[in-house]
Amino acid sequence: MCRLILASGTFDAARIVDAAVEMSCGVTADHDNATTVHAHGWGAVWRDLGTGALHAHRDTRPAVDTAPASPAAFARTDFLALHVRNATLPENRGLSFTHPLQRPFDDWYFMHNGYLPTVHQLLGMDASVFDSAEYFDYLLPPGTEALDTESVLHALRAIPPGGKSGNAIAVHPDRAHLVHWSPPDTATPKFFAMQRLTLPGLDVVASEVVPSLAPAHRWRPLAPDTVLTYPFRSERTSSCPRPGTASSTTSTTPRAPHPTAPVS
């Protein structure tokens, strides 16, 4: 299983990276799952504050060893999402399985926390190969430009029983989405809960309360069955929403490397 964190607005990227590292080491663990350390690699996607371009970084080493000195920690950005990983299956380790996932034919990046071994059935596959990639294809089929709460929840509730959670972050040049959903019978609901910190000009959502970012009383549980949308302002216009709000604009950005490319 994994841990997720997303920040949108005005913030120091290094502090968000440090928060992800704390979650990866189990420093902030307060939940109902035996897994507290997430050392099977990590990844990040962020939006350049000056150009609006999306950048991704993936590393198969533990976040505590490499994230604080990575490009993500020094990014000038108004949007940053990180994923620290504990692979559910040993065979699904390595760079090609490290989030954010990206397909060669579109501009989406995808991060998943959970295990959905039955979603392949809805894709017409005989067996699951990598559940997170299959979930990516199911939730964001080719041609998808945005997600909306009603269609997402309808799709999630159609997944055959046997999964643990569909918590995810999906990032596109125009916008990012955070999906908070687990089936009602998930065995560890506290582990898959998500927490939200809202400060002036800043919105943070994380898999755990991170006291180094703000005292525990400033955080609030994110309601289940929630889809948050973070529109990115266009770099070509001057009239656009302030970062950290949730509506809809457009922006064009270059692609980042496919996940099988060398670690940056």
Side-chain angles (χ1 to χ4, degrees), residues 10-156:
T10 302
F11 57 90
D12 178 358
R15 293 192 65 198
I16 305 302
V17 170
D18 288 345
V21 169
E22 289 180 51
M23 289 194 294
S24 77
C25 294
V27 173
T28 58
D30 178 20
H31 50 67
D32 49 7
N33 193 298
T35 300
T36 58
V37 176
H38 303 77
H40 298 153
W42 68 279
V45 57
W46 65 94
R47 180 177 182 272
D48 184 89
L49 189 59
T51 66
L54 294 180
H55 299 277
H57 183 88
R58 304 168 184 87
D59 198 319
T60 59
R61 295 166 292 184
V64 66
D65 294 341
T66 60
S70 72
F74 297 93
R76 292 182 62 255
T77 182
D78 55 6
F79 179 87
L80 171 63
L82 294 107
H83 179 280
V84 292
R85 188 164 189 249
N86 181 76
T88 303
L89 302 176
E91 60 267 30
N92 287 349
R93 297 184 190 178
L95 192 58
S96 61
F97 299 100
T98 302
H99 302 221
L101 307 181
Q102 187 183 13
R103 299 178 296 209
F105 54 79
D106 67 19
D107 293 321
W108 286 102
Y109 294 92
F110 190 73
M111 300 173 171
H112 173 216
N113 172 30
Y115 184 49
L116 295 174
T118 64
V119 74
H120 73 279
Q121 299 173 27
L122 300 172
L123 300 176
M125 299 171 60
D126 293 333
S128 176
V129 177
F130 179 30
D131 70 292
S132 291
E134 292 144 14
Y135 179 37
F136 185 4
D137 289 341
Y138 175 64
L139 193 64
L140 293 156
T144 301
E145 292 296 327
L147 298 176
D148 68 86
T149 300
E150 184 177 352
S151 61
V152 167
L153 295 180
H154 177 76
L156 292 172

Side-chain angles (χ1 to χ4, degrees), residues 185-231:
D185 60 351
T186 191
T188 54
K190 191 173 181 181
F191 181 77
F192 292 117
M194 299 202 77
Q195 309 296 326
R196 191 174 192 178
L197 171 66
T198 304
L199 299 173
L202 175 63
D203 193 26
V204 178
V205 182
S207 296
E208 297 169 5
V209 169
V210 184
S212 64
L213 292 178
H217 71 271
R218 299 294 301 272
W219 295 77
R220 295 289 183 270
L222 186 64
D225 296 359
T226 293
V227 179
L228 299 178
T229 298
Y230 296 88

Side-chain angles (χ1 to χ4, degrees), residues 223-244:
D225 296 359
T226 293
V227 179
L228 299 178
T229 298
Y230 296 88
F232 297 148
R233 71 176 187 269
S234 171
E235 302 306 321
R236 296 168 294 180
T237 66
S238 58
S239 58
C240 45
R242 176 178 57 81

